[in-house]
Each structure stands twice: as C-alpha cells, then as structure tokens.
Amino acid sequence: MRRTWRTVVVAAVALVAMPAAAAPAMPVASVEPGVQRLLPRPVEAVATGRAPFALGEGSHIVARGAARQVGDYLGDLLRPATGYRLPVTARSPRRGDIVLDLGPGKAPEGHAAEGYRLVTDERSATISADTPAGLFLGVQTFRQLLPAWAESRTRVSAVWQAQAARISDYPRFAYRGVMLDVARSYLTVAEIKRYIDTAVLFKVNTLHLHLTDDQAWRIAVTTPGDNPSGLDYDALTRVGSLGGADVYGNGNPLGTGPAIRGYYTQRDYAEVVAHAKARFVTVVPEIDGPGHTNAALASIPRLNPDGVAKPMNTTADVGYSTLDANSPVTYEFLRTVFSQLAALTPGPYLHIGGDEALVTGHDNYLTYLRQLLPEVARLGKLPMGWNEYAAVDLPPGAVIQFWRGSTLADVLKQVSRGAKVVMSPAGTTYIDQKYDPSSPIGLSWACRNACDFDRYYDWQPVRDGLTESDVIGVTAPLWSETVRGLAQAQWLSYPRLVSIAEVGWTPQAGRNLPDFTARLSSLGSRLTIAGVNFRPSPAVPWTTDITAPTQHTRTLRGEVARFTAPSATTPLATLTYGDGTTADVPVTPTTPAGPLAAPGLWKVTTPDHRYPHLGTYKATLTITTPTGVATTHFTIHAHH
Ligand code: TNX
C-alpha cells in the first residue's frame, strides 16, 4: 500500500483497542493513482472513476491466436507474485479477466504497428491492438497499473487492483533503443536477458549490441569453407575475447575491478536474439570499423599490412587502430563476419560502427565504407553507423546514429537523400557518464556535473535542421569502460534510461520535467521489488510500499511486513498492534545499500507480542522515511 496521502483508505482504521468485528481477510485495499504514474507517459490516459479492475483467484487471461504468446508472457509475469493460476484461455471474457484483443483497426488510427488501447474497470482489463507488439506494449502499461508488488518473484499479500482507466497510446518514434557495450566489459547471456526484461517495462524496443572494439572481440565467427586467405577466425575469440577495458591510458583503474572477459558463441547470440524477439525487441549488432579494431588486428595477423599481429591493449585508449582499407583481406574478413551475423539477426539493421577512425585517413575511410556498404546491402540488411559514416552516400533507409554534431552537414545531406537518424547525442543520452562527480563509476567527458535523469529527459530529439520524420528514434548507449556486470549496468541505467525511453515514446508536447519527476517517485518501489538495481536520485520523492499479510496467531512474532524505501538509510517503523499497544519495531534491509546499490526490501520484525484476548485485531504499521510516511493495516486473528 502506498503512503496515506495518496491512498483512499486512510479512513477505515479507527484504531481498535478491542478486537475488531468482521475484519477483512486481506490487507485494506488501496486504489493507486495509476494513470498518473505511468512511465513513459501515454498519449491519452484518463481515470474514468469507475470501480477498479480486480485480478482474482478465478481470473483468466483471454487471448486467442497470435495474442496467445503475449498472454503467456503476461501470465508468467503475474503468477509468481499473485499465486493465481491465470490460465491463458479462449473463453468469452468474464468478470475479472484480462482480455488481449487482437485485430485490425483495434489500435488508435494510424498507429497499427505499436499502438494499443487499454480499458480497465470492474468488468475486465482489456488491451486491444492490431499487432502482438501493440498488445505487448499495452501489457507493460497494465503492469504499471497494478501494485508494484506484482513485480515480485515470490508470492506477496496485496490487493491486485488496477485503477479504472481508459488509455489510447502509441509511440512518437519507432526506434527506442539502449546500447550495451559488451566489448569493453562482458555481460553474460543471462545478464543481457535480465537487462532486456527490465528495459521493456519502459517500452524500449531495440537492443544495440556493441560486440567488438579495440579492447575485445566478443562474437564467435566460424571459419567458412570458402576461406581464400586462410584466416583463423577462431582466434577472434581465442585471443580477442581475452581483452577488456581495465585501465585508463595512464594506468589508473577504470572500474571497481578489471573488465569482465568472455564471448558469445553463435548459439548464445541466437539465444539473446530469441529472448529479445519474444519481447518484441529488435537486436542491432555492431561490428565497429575501420577504427576501434585492435582486438581483431591482435587476433588475425593477416589483417595487418605487415602480417604481424598487434598486441592486445586493455587500456581505454581508442583512435589508434585501423583496418587496412586497401587490402582485399579486410573485405574478405568483413564479408565472413557480417554474413554470419546477418544470418543470425532477424532485424533489418547491421551496425558498421564507423566512429573515431582517427588513423585511417579520410580517403581510406571513404574506400572502406564504399566497399563495406554494398556487402551489407547484398545481405539484405540496411546499414547503421555512427554519424561519421554519413561521409559517403548511403542507401535510402540507412540509419545514422547521431552522437556528436561534428559531421552535421554530411548528416543533413544524407538525410535529404533518404537516410534516417537515431539520436544519441552524448551529452543527454550517454548513460555511461557519472551522475555527478561522486559517482564511483562512469566516465565524465560528455557530461560533467549534473547528469541525472532530468538532463537526460529535458531535451528535444528533433533539432539541428532535422524534421520529425527524419528522426526514427533515440538510443541510450551504455559504454562499459567502467561497468562491471549487470548490477552496475542497472545502476547507471536507472532512472536515466527511463528518461530516454520517454523521450522516444511520448510526444514532445506531452512531456514536462516536474510531471516526469513525480511519476518517477513510484518507480523505486517497482525496481526494488523486481530486484533491479538503480540509483535513488536525491531529486526524486521516492514512495514507500508496504506488504503485511494477515496473521493467524495469538502471539505475533518475527517478520510481520516488508517494505520499500529507496533512499532511506534508517527508516522508522511504528506498529500499533490493535490492542492498545504501540511500539517502534526493528527494520533490516534484505540487501544493504551501498554506493553502487540501492537497498533491497526492508523487513519489519516484532518482539513477541501476545494478544490479551482471543479475537480479531487490526494492526497499523507506519513507515517513516525522509521522503514521506506510509501506512498499512493488517489483521491478526488471535487464536490458540
Ligand atoms: C566515445 S561514442 C566512443 C566510445 C567510448 C565512449 C565513452 C562513440 C561512437 N565512441 O568508443 O566508449 O565515448 O563514453
């Protein structure tokens, strides 16, 4: 339950000194102000004032045909916390069912690809869309209308209600991305999957994987039968994957420890792609070149003009390496790599990098792109590249990832010829940057002092002479020179990735910072309960959610409740037992907070408390944190 000032239930509890009559079996209901806390903000959402939707023991998920896979996904999400069976069936909807209604003309007009409608009331929660992707996005909205406890992987006592609302929603941009730099520091397949699972909650639909760089090569390439130059592709992982970004050029450590090593077999990669696809996320693989290629040059000697392998280099240095634009071996190599990647990648794009080729030479840079781009086309894919690559003529539909303005004239020229732009301006999308100088990890070249969610929110992605239709979306790159593993990746991502997700989803006119900040306040609970790390920004008035199950005991003892308190170091719990006794009771975090870790759930325990008489008591638990006071009520059936 939420803090009292946001709930409708404060009333109920005349603090009973005597056993309460006819106490409810469940904690007292609170209907959360659902539509006001959705992230990203929908195009149109109204609270209708009807009775809320209530998910119950007997609820079904009604989903037919191609809607079934989304129904299965939703069932898997909600079963652990609710403990309900939630069968996915084709029955005609009954009261309390979730209905996934798929069909032409169901989404808001003109938004068939990803648009959806969501109506919740006492009869049902109905999501309608033209496509399974639209249903999936509607499911993410519905998920946020439920109590944050719905994210729990274990059963929780809560009232599974969603505010009655009518929502009509669709994205501003089709491409809403996040980029993981697994080259500088590795993430396991399981970590990438977990990362995806969280990002989709905010309607992120693209995962850009930066697979190779100077420091390491992370994707297995098999040696093809047709191998004219006899290249040893196995060396890319045997040698190239052993690197990582460990230290700055001056030898100082980059992160909390050395970079994490590893690589993906093609099966691993396919597994990530399949996991993403099941969540309507497109994977965009990047093989950077002609610069950022030291790991390849260190793995395969023949890629070097002198035939001698470069040494691996595990500093963060870049800008010193280049493939040889004038060697046929280079293109033989690239053809092998990109054709294998294309075969494993259902999405339309192959990202060719193209950034910071500082020692390639301009003519050689042009030569490289003019030879590589036709290969991409031959594989049936559209090229994507960092904005430098707009130096050559691009095919219509090619995508320019705009990270800095230095090549703006080229970008505008290519856009006028039919190229599209994904905005990743470093100063407002690079989530690898420190939040502020006190951040233990992160770089600070692109954003120096105040780099919290507000800066990443408050910008206009259509600018610099570009029009709305030139821009297909946004991406938040998480460069990983300083990132070690999933928890740190999450810490840098949340809440800033949510800012970028809303920039990508919500119309500019529908966005403003105070409103976004207010909506963020309930995000901390949801992430805490989901077990997702984040940085509890001091600028957000984080809310507390409490769960306290009904008790059947004459002597109350041990754990009585759990709660979230994202930024509190010493929350205070006061328990009014319902028999005239009140006491401050101990709280302990399930996982402690640290400079790189938000606290986990807190537990409330009570010293043994024996009720004076048999009967039913109504207890009240109040949690006080620096950002507010939250109250819940629970029932104790005091029997023998
Ligand atoms: C610049 S952005 C890079 C990356 C680094 C990043 C660190 C871009 C296209 N190149 O190689 O990892 O800065 O913030």
Side-chain angles (χ1 to χ4, degrees), residues 184 292 355-356 386 403 430 432-433 443 445 479 481:
R184 271 55 175 272
H292 289 269
D355 58 315
E356 299 177 312
W386 299 104
W403 69 286
Y430 275 28
D432 70 319
Q433 303 291 297
L443 298 179
W445 68 268
W479 300 104
E481 286 91 338

Side-chain angles (χ1 to χ4, degrees), residues 87-388:
V88 181
T89 64
R91 76 172 180 189
S92 31
R94 299 196 200 151
R95 194 182 168 92
D97 283 356
I98 303 170
V99 184
L100 302 182
D101 184 16
L102 182 67
K106 303 272 182 182
E109 207 181 327
H111 302 282
E114 292 189 299
Y116 69 91
R117 296 179 195 276
L118 168 60
V119 178
T120 47
D121 58 33
E122 71 280 9
R123 293 165 304 186
S124 71
T126 300
I127 303 169
S128 336
D130 284 51
T131 62
L135 288 179
F136 181 82
L137 293 163
V139 158
Q140 302 310 325
T141 303
F142 173 66
R143 191 176 168 186
Q144 294 184 28
L145 287 177
L146 290 171
W149 297 106
E151 306 300 329
S152 173
R153 297 295 88 194
T154 54
R155 197 172 170 169
V156 184
S157 164
V159 178
W160 303 111
Q161 291 186 342
Q163 187 189 38
R166 192 177 321 111
I167 295 172
S168 165
D169 199 15
Y170 50 84
R172 178 180 183 186
F173 297 117
Y175 189 117
R176 304 176 302 278
V178 64
M179 189 204 82
L180 295 176
D181 168 15
V182 291
R184 271 55 175 272
S185 189
Y186 179 73
L187 293 171
T188 65
V189 168
E191 287 178 316
I192 297 177
K193 289 180 176 175
R194 282 276 291 147
Y195 192 90
I196 293 171
D197 291 347
T198 309
V200 296
L201 175 57
F202 310 105
K203 302 185 170 69
V204 167
N205 71 351
T206 308
L207 175 68
H208 171 176
L209 285 177
H210 186 78
L211 291 167
T212 68
D213 212 299
D214 283 320
Q215 294 79 7
W217 184 285
R218 303 271 180 230
I219 179 77
V221 179
T222 58
T223 303
D226 179 25
N227 185 13
S229 302
L231 303 182
D232 177 12
Y233 290 93
D234 292 347
L236 291 168
T237 46
R238 199 180 59 241
V239 177
S241 78
L242 301 182
D246 293 333
V247 291
Y248 288 96
N250 65 10
N252 288 339
L254 279 159
T256 52
I260 296 164
R261 271 64 172 169
Y263 68 88
Y264 309 105
T265 64
Q266 295 198 355
R267 278 186 66 174
D268 288 339
Y269 176 81
E271 198 178 319
V272 169
V273 166
H275 188 87
K277 191 155 184 274
R279 286 150 189 77
F280 303 92
V281 169
T282 300
V283 172
V284 177
E286 178 185 355
I287 303 292
D288 206 347
H292 289 269
T293 46
N294 188 67
L297 296 165
S299 302
I300 302 182
R302 288 210 52 197
L303 290 175
N304 299 275
D306 59 4
V308 179
K310 295 285 189 300
M312 289 288 279
N313 181 344
T314 56
T315 71
D317 290 350
V318 296
Y320 60 89
S321 62
T322 186
L323 291 171
D324 181 356
N326 299 306
S327 164
V329 178
T330 294
Y331 303 102
E332 181 185 326
F333 170 73
L334 292 172
R335 217 172 294 129
T336 301
V337 171
F338 278 103
S339 62
Q340 292 186 18
L341 215 45
L344 295 164
T345 303
Y349 302 117
L350 293 179
H351 200 304
I352 60 87
D355 58 315
E356 299 177 312
L358 305 183
V359 297
T360 306
H362 190 61
D363 287 348
N364 288 340
Y365 182 73
L366 302 181
T367 301
Y368 177 90
L369 291 173
R370 287 182 182 136
Q371 298 226 43
L372 175 56
L373 293 182
E375 292 297 336
V376 172
R378 206 179 49 80
L379 295 167
K381 299 295 186 187
L382 287 166
M384 183 160 176
W386 299 104
N387 56 252
E388 288 96 321

Side-chain angles (χ1 to χ4, degrees), residues 431-443:
I431 55 176
D432 70 319
Q433 303 291 297
K434 287 177 187 283
Y435 285 94
D436 64 36
S438 76
S439 293
I441 59 170
L443 298 179

